[in-house]
Amino acid sequence: MNRAIRTDLALEAEALWRENQSAPGSPEGVLARHERRGAFGVTTVEVTSPQGEAALGKPMGKYVTVELDALIRREENAFADACALLAEELRALLPLGPGDACLVVGLGNRDITPDAVGPDAVDCVMVTRHLRQALPEDFGAFRPVCAVCSGVLGTTGIESSALVHAVAGSVKPAAVVAIDALASRSPDRLCRTVQIADTGIVPGSGVGNTRAALNRETLGLPVIAVGVPTVVDAATLALDLAARAGLQPDPAAFGDAGGMIVTPREIDKNVRDIAKLIGYGLNLALHDGLTIEDVDMFLS
Amino acid sequence: MNRAIRTDLALEAEALWRENQSAPGSPEGVLARHERRGAFGVTTVEVTSPQGEAALGKPMGKYVTVELDALIRREENAFADACALLAEELRALLPLGPGDACLVVGLGNRDITPDAVGPDAVDCVMVTRHLRQALPEDFGAFRPVCAVCSGVLGTTGIESSALVHAVAGSVKPAAVVAIDALASRSPDRLCRTVQIADTGIVPGSGVGNTRAALNRETLGLPVIAVGVPTVVDAATLALDLAARAGLQPDPAAFGDAGGMIVTPREIDKNVRDIAKLIGYGLNLALHDGLTIEDVDMFLS
Amino acid sequence: MNRAIRTDLALEAEALWRENQSAPGSPEGVLARHERRGAFGVTTVEVTSPQGEAALGKPMGKYVTVELDALIRREENAFADACALLAEELRALLPLGPGDACLVVGLGNRDITPDAVGPDAVDCVMVTRHLRQALPEDFGAFRPVCAVCSGVLGTTGIESSALVHAVAGSVKPAAVVAIDALASRSPDRLCRTVQIADTGIVPGSGVGNTRAALNRETLGLPVIAVGVPTVVDAATLALDLAARAGLQPDPAAFGDAGGMIVTPREIDKNVRDIAKLIGYGLNLALHDGLTIEDVDMFLS
Amino acid sequence: MNRAIRTDLALEAEALWRENQSAPGSPEGVLARHERRGAFGVTTVEVTSPQGEAALGKPMGKYVTVELDALIRREENAFADACALLAEELRALLPLGPGDACLVVGLGNRDITPDAVGPDAVDCVMVTRHLRQALPEDFGAFRPVCAVCSGVLGTTGIESSALVHAVAGSVKPAAVVAIDALASRSPDRLCRTVQIADTGIVPGSGVGNTRAALNRETLGLPVIAVGVPTVVDAATLALDLAARAGLQPDPAAFGDAGGMIVTPREIDKNVRDIAKLIGYGLNLALHDGLTIEDVDMFLS
């Protein structure tokens, strides 16, 4: 596998394995399937064995990637349809019984635009845990949801995983949903793809500062990761474009781009938009019978 | 005591008691003294008994209030002098031995301007806990400091005190410094007075949503509170101005101002400025031999 | 008239005149009428003579004030209904023929929260002037609208009126709409009342720095002013509350509150919300057959 | 010349011409010289004839590029030294007599991070025009300086050049300084290079939406352009890295990166920092005898 190509998306890792092997099928221990769901594409990659882990460089588990090109093309009802689809996929992976509490965590640095997707999404999450107690007649039917932004090690001095561990120990949720920015290989996927995984997450992958993992091993709780690619590593882009041009460059020659990232020109707006989608989709997944108008009203 | 006049400042509560009693001295169980320190005034109020608690409505402990009018008048070196004075007063109250870890907490809601002084101050705190390990030759001599913004119950679903309790249990500091916005009686003090207390704090006092306390009882750790008045309750202002005009109004007639606050016109800028002062003063208090230029360099 | 009570709202000035005169009717040269429009109240004050000007301290013209309490109570469809009502009142005052160009001006300082309502509203205005030329098939039917934020004298060194005069001379609109923050007498009206006037506006009234007027005399163009009260002068509040308490205070005793303003606690959010309403209402007024969903789509 | 490599920097255009020609010297009609100035490098490119214009694709005039690597390495006094150097170079190009008025224009879109360098720099410019009249004893010795942010066509409906033309017609400055984001070829130069030119500027080059020029022809006034590269076009980066790897790719193969930009990971902070440097350098250039502390005090 070409390790110089960097991606946090399982579906790209799987495709890359096939490119490198010039093999038609998935690696052993990996199941991949793609389906069309209305205007959107959904790709599910399951890593089922250690061989699969080694091939993709991803821990065993299920990775569901929703491609939201219809949203970008602004097809009618695209936002509502995308929310509904996200909610459906999230529900399928979230191991929550009725009334089980959920802790939502926004990972990443709010002050670095492409890293702000987690905190921005948390701003759109309906926080209900305290309202159930304070206003039981209005909110008694809502699932208890609480939400924190973990900050980043550089500004808190505390590992995100340690902070989430401490908070989870206090609020004792049945599951954690962790939202973070990712890096992808392809610029086409930036801010228009959402990967949902039942494997947990390693915070900071998207912007290049890998930290301790948030997963069942470290938290003692199921962790559903929701990730959005917001950057392509500049060296990855260069290598990839060179490869598409039929060239076989030496990856070492591309080190000059270190510390540089590739983003869409309108990254500020794109991050806000996809963060809102994730927040809304998550709200629909966590509470029964909710509409987008209900969420608008709650958050206003 | 005129309970309709609302203040979080011990020195105002003490003055109010005297006004109401038409008494020349402090109440029993309260010691108050004022001194001039260069261009600044420092008032220390000590509540030493339950009678003192009852008289002022403040828990037993020491409240040091620094009045920063010279800063507003822009006297030469006023910022540096104010930092040095704050640092000195903080050191006197902080029970930290050499190398002891400190957790700094920014209380309040970053999205409500007069409530943002805690989070804004945290942005100016030098976070060093992780650097001591990663870069021991550069940062080995620094005290380990970590910092979190607790958010507010309405946006996290978690009481600030519960969150800080959980984080403190994880990072095990020797002391907590909690920074929050306060309410004062006098508009003259807004954004130009800092109260430092060894009693801990009840988050949200400043903007009117009282929550569970952060203090030695709830955290099992010494909690130094740093508070800045950023608002006057509108009914308090009206009552107070009426009283100064020689009138004895019925407080019930002033309920119309409910939910309204009085702030300086330039509250956005004033909050940022005083938050920076607190952050810098705290850095000088926590690390030996540091200069303002060092802090500028670290934070840039 | 009690000149110590400060208000930029014609309906408050008219009520104040009656209070001071203990007179049942409006002053000579002033016509006032109130009507219920669905869930909202609409008060129209017409100043028709120099006597009326002197009585209210407002130039001759028509002042329509929409009271949006239903919006605050969150009645169903309140946002859509309020937009429709604003649009209707704006259309009645805007002297624009089909296809006539309009220049929208956001007055005030974006960095001072209660003064940001003009710039924030401009962020919600559909700017179409350049699109008509670039994409005639999509935008040919839209009225040409352009928009600027004039900044404030302290940050530009240029009077808002001089800047708007220069821009209007370049883009030659048929009318100017100027949006600004106002000061009211009553805290109840803050961020929930919109005054539309065909008299133009004196920028900066709301936050106390009066500047040269923007009106037909200075610009040579009709200027429709859209104003929202976001602050009450602190001395005004105190005097007013004292008066309600049956007292007759000396206004001079209230000078202590100088430079202080009274705002709702959630002023940051309230300003954004009412600014959005104004932007949307203006869009519906300026373009035929537009829906709120169209505006959402355009601005997203 | 390889037109697929995109750069707004004259020194890169000159180097590119030499690469393409495999020629040792500058093209005819172009003079280039490099010198060391303390810790910084200064390269001056003069385009002196139409042949030079054709070779570099830049209008005739003088382009001074200051390379600020010492700033990034945080050498002692680097900020002060860089301000002084910028001020010196700006003074050499600014055709201002004592007391002549200057209009500073921030070009670009404040809401798109890499495009915000102009508006952010304007926030650090000392605006004095109105103070000379209001406070002549304090500010009578200052040059009259005013400042506007032109916004962008997409949010104002007005070309930046038309807006600046209108404002200049009103305030009648002796010269205009226009600050904008640029695109460079090399990621190494992002946010650490400033180009000052006496040729005026075409707004929006940096982020790819070329607009009408701001120069002596369009404004009737000398226009000094101050530009900072904040982005590399993604296709340019890929082509350039491929070329460095010894490959000769077909530019058409790199079109996939359309709309993507390359920036440093910390673009938000880097833009703020370099904008502050430009604002401060410009203040020192415009007013005699000013120190950095004076600017700090004025802007605080």
Side-chain angles (χ1 to χ4, degrees):
Chain A
M1 177 181 171
N2 188 346
R3 296 291 181 185
I5 296 283
R6 176 157 169 252
T7 178
D8 295 318
L9 295 178
L11 91 172
E12 290 189 341
E14 196 267 347
L16 197 54
W17 184 89
R18 283 186 279 114
E19 281 176 35
N20 283 303
Q21 303 294 321
S22 304
S26 296
E28 196 179 321
V30 175
L31 299 172
R33 66 173 180 278
H34 182 80
E35 59 183 318
R36 202 73 210 158
R37 296 276 287 283
F40 305 106
V42 176
T43 304
T44 304
V45 174
E46 284 183 81
V47 179
T48 59
S49 74
Q51 290 101 309
E53 287 196 348
L56 300 200
K58 306 275 168 207
M60 279 191 276
K62 196 169 182 175
Y63 302 82
V64 177
T65 304
V66 180
E67 292 174 81
L68 300 165
D69 293 12
L71 199 66
I72 307 305
R73 290 192 307 266
R74 297 186 173 207
E75 297 184 6
E76 201 161 352
N77 294 321
F79 181 78
D81 292 347
C83 283
L85 176 54
L86 270 188
E88 190 181 336
E89 297 298 334
L90 282 162
R91 276 182 184 240
L93 289 188
L94 270 168
L96 291 171
D100 279 356
C102 183
L103 169 61
V104 181
V105 179
L107 298 169
N109 187 340
R110 198 187 278 277
D111 295 329
I112 295 182
T113 303
D115 204 25
V117 72
D120 283 0
V122 162
D123 288 346
C124 296
V125 168
M126 293 167 57
V127 168
T128 54
R129 182 174 176 259
H130 59 307
L131 298 175
R132 276 169 53 96
Q133 298 158 7
L135 303 165
E137 69 288 359
D138 291 332
F139 293 98
F142 281 74
R143 177 188 303 285
V145 174
C146 51
V148 292
C149 292
S150 63
V152 294
L153 183 62
T155 59
T156 64
I158 306 168
E159 285 277 1
S160 292
S161 56
L163 192 136
V164 177
H165 190 270
V167 174
S170 174
V171 303
K172 302 194 189 313
V176 170
V177 174
I179 310 168
D180 200 5
L182 304 178
S184 70
R185 169 195 191 174
S186 164
D188 298 344
R189 290 206 172 86
L190 294 181
C191 299
R192 53 172 72 178
T193 296
V194 180
Q195 174 176 280
I196 308 167
D198 62 5
T199 57
I201 194 164
V202 178
S205 305
V207 290
N209 300 296
T210 303
R211 315 252 49 109
L214 279 172
N215 56 30
R216 188 185 288 270
E217 284 68 48
T218 60
L219 291 190
L221 283 168
V223 179
I224 303 303
V226 181
V228 177
T230 60
V231 298
V232 174
D233 183 71
T236 294
L237 177 76
L239 271 173
D240 212 13
L241 292 180
R244 293 196 209 181
L247 308 168
Q248 298 293 335
D250 172 8
F254 291 74
D256 282 37
M260 294 290 146
I261 54 174
V262 179
T263 70
R265 191 178 296 147
E266 303 221 320
I267 181 72
D268 305 77
K269 179 177 184 328
N270 294 351
V271 162
R272 280 196 307 273
D273 288 350
I274 194 90
K276 181 179 174 186
L277 179 71
I278 291 173
Y280 274 58
L282 191 51
N283 291 329
L284 301 192
L286 290 172
H287 306 286
D288 288 332
L290 211 63
T291 66
I292 287 178
E293 289 70 32
D294 294 333
V295 181
D296 280 337
M297 182 68 79
F298 185 99
L299 296 177
S300 75
Chain B
M1 177 182 173
N2 188 344
R3 297 288 182 188
I5 296 284
R6 174 152 170 256
T7 178
D8 296 319
L9 295 179
L11 92 172
E12 289 189 341
E14 196 268 345
L16 197 53
W17 184 90
R18 284 186 279 116
E19 281 176 36
N20 284 304
Q21 304 294 321
S22 305
S26 295
E28 196 178 322
V30 175
L31 299 173
R33 66 174 178 279
H34 182 80
E35 58 183 318
R36 202 74 211 157
R37 296 277 287 282
F40 306 106
V42 175
T43 303
T44 305
V45 175
E46 283 183 83
V47 180
T48 60
S49 73
Q51 290 99 311
E53 287 196 348
L56 300 200
K58 306 274 168 210
M60 279 191 276
K62 197 168 182 175
Y63 302 81
V64 178
T65 305
V66 181
E67 293 174 80
L68 300 165
D69 292 13
L71 199 67
I72 307 306
R73 290 192 307 267
R74 296 186 174 208
E75 297 184 3
E76 201 162 350
N77 293 321
F79 181 78
D81 292 347
C83 284
L85 176 55
L86 270 188
E88 191 182 334
E89 297 298 333
L90 282 161
R91 276 183 184 238
L93 289 187
L94 270 168
L96 290 172
D100 278 357
C102 182
L103 170 62
V104 181
V105 179
L107 298 169
N109 187 340
R110 198 187 279 277
D111 295 329
I112 295 183
T113 303
D115 203 25
V117 73
D120 283 0
V122 161
D123 288 345
C124 295
V125 168
M126 293 167 55
V127 168
T128 53
R129 180 174 177 258
H130 58 305
L131 298 175
R132 276 168 55 93
Q133 298 157 7
L135 303 165
E137 68 289 358
D138 291 331
F139 293 99
F142 282 74
R143 178 188 303 285
V145 174
C146 52
V148 292
C149 292
S150 63
V152 294
L153 183 62
T155 58
T156 64
I158 307 170
E159 285 276 2
S160 292
S161 57
L163 193 137
V164 176
H165 190 269
V167 173
S170 173
V171 303
K172 302 194 188 313
V176 170
V177 174
I179 310 167
D180 201 5
L182 304 177
S184 69
R185 169 196 190 173
S186 165
D188 299 343
R189 291 208 171 84
L190 295 181
C191 298
R192 54 172 72 180
T193 295
V194 179
Q195 174 176 279
I196 308 167
D198 62 5
T199 57
I201 194 164
V202 178
S205 305
V207 291
N209 300 295
T210 304
R211 313 254 51 108
L214 277 173
N215 56 30
R216 189 185 285 269
E217 285 67 49
T218 59
L219 290 191
L221 281 170
V223 179
I224 304 303
V226 181
V228 176
T230 59
V231 298
V232 175
D233 183 70
T236 292
L237 178 77
L239 272 173
D240 212 12
L241 291 180
R244 291 195 210 182
L247 307 168
Q248 298 291 340
D250 174 9
F254 292 73
D256 282 37
M260 293 291 146
I261 55 173
V262 179
T263 69
R265 192 178 295 147
E266 302 220 322
I267 181 70
D268 305 76
K269 178 176 184 331
N270 294 353
V271 163
R272 278 197 307 272
D273 288 350
I274 194 89
K276 180 179 174 185
L277 180 71
I278 291 174
Y280 275 58
L282 190 51
N283 292 328
L284 300 193
L286 291 172
H287 306 286
D288 288 330
L290 211 63
T291 66
I292 287 178
E293 289 70 34
D294 294 334
V295 182
D296 280 338
M297 181 70 78
F298 185 99
L299 296 176
S300 73
Chain C
M1 176 182 171
N2 188 345
R3 295 291 182 187
I5 295 284
R6 178 156 168 253
T7 178
D8 295 319
L9 295 179
L11 93 171
E12 290 189 341
E14 197 267 346
L16 196 54
W17 184 89
R18 283 186 280 114
E19 282 177 35
N20 284 303
Q21 303 294 320
S22 304
S26 296
E28 195 178 324
V30 174
L31 299 172
R33 65 174 180 278
H34 182 80
E35 58 182 318
R36 202 74 210 157
R37 296 277 286 282
F40 305 105
V42 175
T43 303
T44 304
V45 175
E46 284 183 82
V47 180
T48 59
S49 75
Q51 289 100 310
E53 288 195 348
L56 300 200
K58 305 276 167 208
M60 279 191 277
K62 197 170 183 174
Y63 301 81
V64 178
T65 303
V66 181
E67 292 175 80
L68 300 165
D69 292 13
L71 199 65
I72 307 305
R73 290 192 305 266
R74 296 186 174 209
E75 296 183 6
E76 200 161 353
N77 292 322
F79 181 79
D81 291 348
C83 283
L85 176 55
L86 270 189
E88 191 181 335
E89 297 297 333
L90 282 162
R91 276 183 184 238
L93 289 188
L94 270 168
L96 290 171
D100 279 355
C102 183
L103 170 61
V104 181
V105 179
L107 298 169
N109 187 341
R110 197 187 280 277
D111 294 329
I112 294 182
T113 302
D115 203 25
V117 73
D120 283 359
V122 161
D123 288 345
C124 295
V125 168
M126 293 166 57
V127 168
T128 53
R129 180 173 177 260
H130 58 305
L131 298 175
R132 278 167 54 93
Q133 298 158 8
L135 302 165
E137 67 289 359
D138 291 331
F139 293 98
F142 281 75
R143 176 187 304 285
V145 174
C146 51
V148 291
C149 292
S150 63
V152 293
L153 183 61
T155 58
T156 64
I158 306 169
E159 285 277 1
S160 292
S161 56
L163 192 137
V164 176
H165 190 270
V167 173
S170 174
V171 303
K172 302 193 187 314
V176 170
V177 174
I179 309 168
D180 201 4
L182 304 177
S184 69
R185 169 196 191 171
S186 164
D188 300 343
R189 290 206 172 86
L190 296 181
C191 299
R192 53 172 74 179
T193 295
V194 179
Q195 174 176 279
I196 308 167
D198 62 5
T199 58
I201 194 164
V202 178
S205 305
V207 291
N209 300 294
T210 303
R211 314 254 47 110
L214 278 173
N215 56 29
R216 188 185 287 270
E217 284 67 48
T218 60
L219 291 190
L221 282 169
V223 178
I224 304 303
V226 181
V228 177
T230 59
V231 298
V232 174
D233 184 70
T236 293
L237 178 76
L239 272 173
D240 213 12
L241 292 180
R244 291 196 211 180
L247 308 168
Q248 298 291 337
D250 173 9
F254 292 74
D256 282 37
M260 292 291 145
I261 54 173
V262 179
T263 69
R265 191 178 295 147
E266 303 221 321
I267 180 72
D268 305 76
K269 178 177 182 331
N270 294 351
V271 163
R272 279 196 307 272
D273 288 350
I274 194 89
K276 181 180 173 185
L277 180 71
I278 291 173
Y280 275 58
L282 191 51
N283 292 328
L284 300 192
L286 291 172
H287 307 286
D288 289 331
L290 212 62
T291 66
I292 286 178
E293 289 69 33
D294 294 335
V295 181
D296 280 337
M297 181 68 80
F298 185 98
L299 296 177
S300 72
Chain D
M1 176 181 173
N2 188 344
R3 295 291 182 186
I5 296 284
R6 175 154 169 254
T7 178
D8 295 319
L9 295 178
L11 93 173
E12 290 189 341
E14 197 267 347
L16 197 53
W17 183 89
R18 283 187 280 115
E19 280 176 36
N20 284 302
Q21 302 294 319
S22 305
S26 296
E28 197 178 322
V30 175
L31 299 172
R33 64 174 181 278
H34 182 80
E35 57 182 319
R36 203 71 211 159
R37 296 277 287 282
F40 306 105
V42 176
T43 304
T44 304
V45 174
E46 284 182 83
V47 179
T48 59
S49 74
Q51 290 99 313
E53 288 197 347
L56 301 200
K58 306 275 168 206
M60 278 190 277
K62 197 169 181 173
Y63 302 83
V64 178
T65 304
V66 180
E67 293 174 80
L68 300 165
D69 292 13
L71 198 66
I72 307 305
R73 290 192 307 266
R74 298 187 172 206
E75 297 184 3
E76 201 162 351
N77 293 320
F79 181 78
D81 292 347
C83 283
L85 176 55
L86 269 188
E88 191 182 334
E89 297 298 333
L90 282 161
R91 276 183 184 239
L93 289 188
L94 270 168
L96 290 171
D100 279 356
C102 183
L103 169 62
V104 181
V105 180
L107 299 168
N109 187 340
R110 198 186 279 276
D111 295 328
I112 294 182
T113 303
D115 203 25
V117 74
D120 283 0
V122 161
D123 288 344
C124 295
V125 168
M126 294 167 55
V127 168
T128 54
R129 181 173 176 259
H130 58 304
L131 299 174
R132 276 167 55 95
Q133 299 158 7
L135 302 165
E137 67 290 357
D138 290 333
F139 292 98
F142 281 74
R143 176 187 303 286
V145 174
C146 51
V148 292
C149 292
S150 64
V152 293
L153 183 61
T155 59
T156 64
I158 307 168
E159 285 277 3
S160 293
S161 57
L163 192 136
V164 176
H165 191 271
V167 173
S170 173
V171 303
K172 302 195 190 313
V176 170
V177 174
I179 309 168
D180 201 4
L182 304 177
S184 70
R185 169 197 190 172
S186 164
D188 300 343
R189 291 206 171 86
L190 295 181
C191 298
R192 53 171 73 179
T193 294
V194 179
Q195 175 176 279
I196 309 166
D198 62 5
T199 57
I201 195 164
V202 178
S205 305
V207 290
N209 301 295
T210 303
R211 316 252 46 111
L214 279 172
N215 56 30
R216 188 185 286 271
E217 284 68 48
T218 59
L219 291 190
L221 281 169
V223 179
I224 303 302
V226 181
V228 176
T230 60
V231 297
V232 174
D233 184 71
T236 293
L237 178 77
L239 271 172
D240 212 12
L241 291 180
R244 292 195 210 181
L247 308 168
Q248 299 291 338
D250 173 9
F254 291 75
D256 282 37
M260 294 290 146
I261 54 174
V262 179
T263 70
R265 191 178 296 148
E266 303 219 320
I267 180 72
D268 304 76
K269 178 175 185 331
N270 295 351
V271 163
R272 280 196 307 273
D273 288 350
I274 195 88
K276 180 179 174 186
L277 180 72
I278 291 173
Y280 274 60
L282 190 52
N283 292 328
L284 299 191
L286 291 172
H287 306 286
D288 287 332
L290 211 62
T291 66
I292 287 179
E293 289 69 34
D294 294 334
V295 181
D296 280 337
M297 182 69 78
F298 185 98
L299 296 177
S300 75

